Amino acid sequence: MTMIEFFERPDGTPPANGYSHAARGAGRLVAVSGQLPVDPQGVLVGAEDALAQARQVFANLGTALAAAGARPPELLRLTFFLTDLADLPAVRTARDEFLGDGPLPTSSLVQVVGLVLPGARIEIDALAVVDDSAAPHAG
């Protein structure tokens, strides 16, 4: 079991919509660079479809986490970069699909003028904490 403690809504904090106000973890830190809505060949997905883009970003995030030995329940933090805040409901839908019934990581949302990839509407980076004591060790 990962050593992360989530504080969804500590006394005195405002309501949260799909995130925890704070979290603390002990273990190996996994940082995931900003993921864009591109397929494995680097082709933009869903040029005018925020939900398709968000789902692709979360798919890429899941692949990157897995490569580093982490899983979605081990996410400590998500940072969202959106070019249009009207895309937020689609992003929340994709986020909820990705996280399932797992814990809610901390998060920040930043509206940006544009992203490095023309046509991209969303980028997400992440931090996860992995409990190495549960992983098999090479001998």
Side-chain angles (χ1 to χ4, degrees), residues 36-60:
L36 292 164
V38 294
D39 66 17
Q41 291 71 42
V43 176
L44 180 69
V45 171
E48 297 299 321
D49 185 341
L51 183 57
Q53 285 203 6
R55 284 179 171 149
Q56 184 64 52
V57 169
F58 278 107
N60 294 347

Side-chain angles (χ1 to χ4, degrees), residues 4-10 13 16 19-25 75-77 103-107:
I4 301 176
E5 186 175 4
F6 293 92
F7 304 90
E8 285 189 38
R9 188 175 181 198
T13 61
Y19 64 91
S20 294
H21 278 279
R24 66 176 163 210
L75 282 167
L76 188 66
R77 178 160 190 75
L104 300 172
T106 64
S107 69

Side-chain angles (χ1 to χ4, degrees), residues 29-125:
L29 185 64
V30 174
V32 180
S33 292
Q35 298 297 304
L36 292 164
V38 294
D39 66 17
Q41 291 71 42
V43 176
L44 180 69
V45 171
E48 297 299 321
D49 185 341
L51 183 57
Q53 285 203 6
R55 284 179 171 149
Q56 184 64 52
V57 169
F58 278 107
N60 294 347
L61 178 61
T63 299
L65 285 170
R71 301 172 301 112
E74 295 166 322
L75 282 167
L76 188 66
R77 178 160 190 75
L78 294 170
T79 304
F80 299 85
F81 302 92
L82 300 180
T83 60
D84 186 344
L85 293 181
D87 292 344
L88 187 55
V91 171
R92 285 180 173 157
T93 295
R95 176 205 60 201
D96 293 349
E97 291 170 358
F98 182 73
L99 294 176
D101 291 331
L104 300 172
T106 64
S107 69
S108 291
L109 169 65
V110 181
Q111 183 177 16
V112 294
V113 173
L115 296 167
V116 69
L117 178 66
R121 304 164 69 102
I122 179 175
E123 181 173 341
I124 301 173
D125 67 23

